[in-house]
Structure formats: C-alpha cells, structure tokens
C-alpha cells in the first residue's frame, strides 16, 4: 500500500510501536501544541492562496453546503443507532465525537493528495472548520433531553443544563462562542483569510514556512499521535466487540454517505475525497474536551478511546488511501 511507504505515516506506525512496548520516548506537550498550531496555520495559508487563485465558485458553495449537511446528519443518525445499545449519554457523546472532525486526519489527507498530484480546493479547510461545532451542540441538546424534567426546566431561555452536581448551567451562547473562537480553529480561518488577501505574493514569501517545512512537521506530529494512540489502547480493555467494530464500520459508512452526496452534487474527486475523510474522521481533541464538562455522565473511555485508539489509526493507515482511491475511481 503506497500510503505505508510515506515517511509521515511510517513515523506514525513507529510511534504506535514505541508506545506499545512502553518506551519512554515522549514529545513534550508544549512541542506537540506548537506542531498542531503550525500545521493548522500552514494549512490555512495554503487554502487561502488556493482560494485567491480560484475565487468563490459554485463548487465551493456546494461543497461547503454538503459539509454542513454531513455535520448535522451524521451525529443525528449515529445517536439514534447507538442509543439502542448504549445509555443515552454515552450514545450522545460518541455521536458528537464521530459527527465532528479530526484536523490531523484531514491534514494527512491533504499531504497524500499533493503527493498523488490530485487537485483539490483550498476551501476544504473552511469545510473542516464548519464541521467542527454542529455535533457538539446537538450532543448537548440530546443529553439535556435525557435529564430530569427539573433540570430541563431550569434550562429554559436558551440555557443547556449540565446535570446534577456540575455547577452553573451552560448557556447555548457560551457553547457557540467557545466553538467559534477556539484558538486552533480561529488560527486556521485567520491564516486562510491572510492567504486570500496576499495571494501569489504572499505564497512566494511564505513558501519556506508553509510548504518546505510542512512534511517534516507533519511527520514529527504523527510520531506524537502514534505514541498517544498506543497509550490510549488500554482504555478499550473489556469493551464490547461491537463497539470496536463500530469504530471501523461507522467511518466507512459516513465516508460512503459523503461520496454519494458528492457524486450527486457533481463535486470533483479531490474535494470529494476530503469530504469523505472529514465525514469518516472522529474528533479526539476539541470534542472530548467539551464533553467532559457538558456531558459528565458519559464515559470518556468510550468516546475518547474509540476515536483515538481505533478510528484515528485506521483512517491514517487504511482509510485515507481507500477514500481517495474510491473518489478517484468513481468521480475522477
């Protein structure tokens, strides 16, 4: 499989192996945070430079519309399916996790497409940003509907109660504010705007930063992600096998849905592949951080362990080439 011969992916595999054997290899948290911010900034700049060239087209509007549609449909369907076999709070948390997106999976796919020479639009970075928040808001609404009538009543006037013993109610406005002003997401959008404004001149100036360093920084970050994924595999011990299967089958189903929508809307292969990856990915940073406070009744070992321990490695090693290959075969 060509993806496994990519140095960045091999560093991820190496990180998983090092974590599995309990090596003391470790990337300091501050360095990991810097790498994450660098990748988002570089991605935003690349997207902005691309948009400065292509402009806002009908396909841009169509693809962004499909991204928002998927961000609503995926968590809604996931919740309805999961609550048949899990407690409602766990179902809401997992639905939010799989309804949102993984920026690292998206960035790895962008690099894969560039290596393959497959064209895609810079606006797909904006699609990723748009898909971050809807699932979080929906999950909190799902959870709130499960709580005692008294808690629901206390949540009137646009307030979403956190549940017994968790302090003051969480207002819908606060969720929206935190979602849309999150530092990483804001950096991505800000860099995209700067790229659009500066155009070709900015691209030439920033090429050593946003292009030449990108591959090495991605490899370093995926090494850290491999270590983290391996160390979270223990979270899944004793969990039902059907949940582990869900962590693989759900991304495939979501990607298939995205491919069908892209084909119906006439979206190009590169953009469709990225839409598939976004639909198939699961958040393991932003959403779990919110869910720990917004849905404390849910088990972090489930939604965090599944997304980082199973889905992320599956998508990085197997999913990306699979989704890109299907998009190119059907839409190319």
């Amino acid at each position: 499989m060509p993806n496994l011969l990519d140095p960045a992916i091999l560093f991820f595999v190496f990180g998983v192996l090092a974590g599995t054997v309990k090596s003391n290899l470790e990337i300091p948290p501050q360095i990991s945070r810097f790498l994450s911010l660098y990748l988002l900034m570089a991605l935003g700049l690349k997207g902005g430079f691309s948009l400065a060239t292509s402009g806002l087209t009908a396909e841009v509007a169509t693809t962004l519309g499909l991204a928002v549609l998927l961000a609503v449909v995926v968590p809604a369907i996931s919740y309805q399916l999961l609550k048949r076999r899990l407690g409602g709070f766990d179902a809401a948390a997992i639905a939010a996790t799989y309804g949102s997106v993984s920026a690292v999976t998206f960035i790895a796919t962008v690099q894969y497409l560039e290596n393959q020479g497959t064209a895609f639009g810079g606006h797909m970075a904006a699609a990723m940003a748009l898909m971050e928040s809807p699932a979080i808001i929906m999950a909190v609404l799902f959870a709130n509907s499960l709580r005692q009538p008294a808690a629901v009543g206390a949540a009137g006037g646009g307030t979403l109660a956190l549940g017994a013993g968790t302090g003051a109610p969480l207002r819908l406005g606060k969720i929206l504010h935190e979602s849309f002003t999150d530092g990483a997401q804001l950096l991505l959008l800000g860099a995209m705007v700067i790229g659009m404004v500066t155009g070709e001149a900015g691209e030439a100036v920033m090429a050593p930063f946003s292009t030449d360093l990108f591959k090495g920084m991605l490899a370093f970050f995926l090494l850290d992600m491999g270590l983290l994924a391996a160390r979270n595999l223990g979270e899944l011990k004793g969990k039902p096998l059907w949940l582990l299967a869900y962590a693989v089958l759900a991304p495939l189903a979501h990607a298939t849905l995205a491919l069908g929508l892209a084909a119906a809307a006439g979206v190009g292969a590169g953009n469709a592949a990225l839409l598939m990856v976004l639909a198939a990915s699961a958040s393991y940073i932003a959403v779990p951080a919110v869910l720990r406070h917004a849905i404390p009744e849910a088990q972090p070992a489930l939604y965090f362990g599944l997304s980082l321990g199973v889905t992320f490695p599956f998508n990085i090693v197997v999913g990306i080439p699979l989704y890109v290959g299907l998009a190119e075969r059907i839409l190319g």
Side-chain angles (χ1 to χ4, degrees), residues 19 22 75-76 81 115 119 148 156 166 172 175-176 190 197 201 254 256 261 281 284 293 308 326-327 329:
K22 302 189 185 304
L81 292 175
N115 291 344
Q148 295 178 355
T166 59
L172 179 58
I175 296 176
L176 292 171
V197 171
H254 301 161
T256 301
L261 291 173
S281 65
Y284 55 84
H293 300 288
L308 184 58
L326 284 173
R329 180 182 294 270

Side-chain angles (χ1 to χ4, degrees), residues 16 30 53 82 122 130 133 230 300 323:
V16 171
Q30 297 87 345
T53 302
L82 287 166
L130 286 172
S133 304
Y323 307 142

Side-chain angles (χ1 to χ4, degrees), residues 166-255:
T166 59
L170 183 64
R171 295 188 177 277
L172 179 58
K174 183 176 181 181
I175 296 176
L176 292 171
H177 179 268
E178 290 183 354
S179 297
F180 291 108
T181 60
D182 174 72
Q185 183 163 286
L186 203 59
L187 176 62
L188 172 71
L189 295 175
M192 184 180 298
V193 171
I194 291 170
M196 288 180 64
V197 171
T198 57
E200 291 184 4
E203 185 174 12
V205 170
M206 296 298 291
F209 173 84
S210 61
T211 303
D212 297 345
L213 290 176
F214 190 85
K215 185 72 172 181
M217 292 289 199
L218 177 60
F220 202 3
F221 189 63
L222 285 178
L223 168 64
D224 185 40
M225 289 295 97
L227 291 167
L228 188 60
R231 288 165 185 165
N232 278 276
L233 286 175
E235 300 269 3
L236 301 175
K237 286 184 179 178
K239 299 298 183 290
L241 287 178
W242 74 264
L243 267 177
L244 302 181
Y246 176 87
V248 172
L249 297 177
L252 294 174
H254 301 161

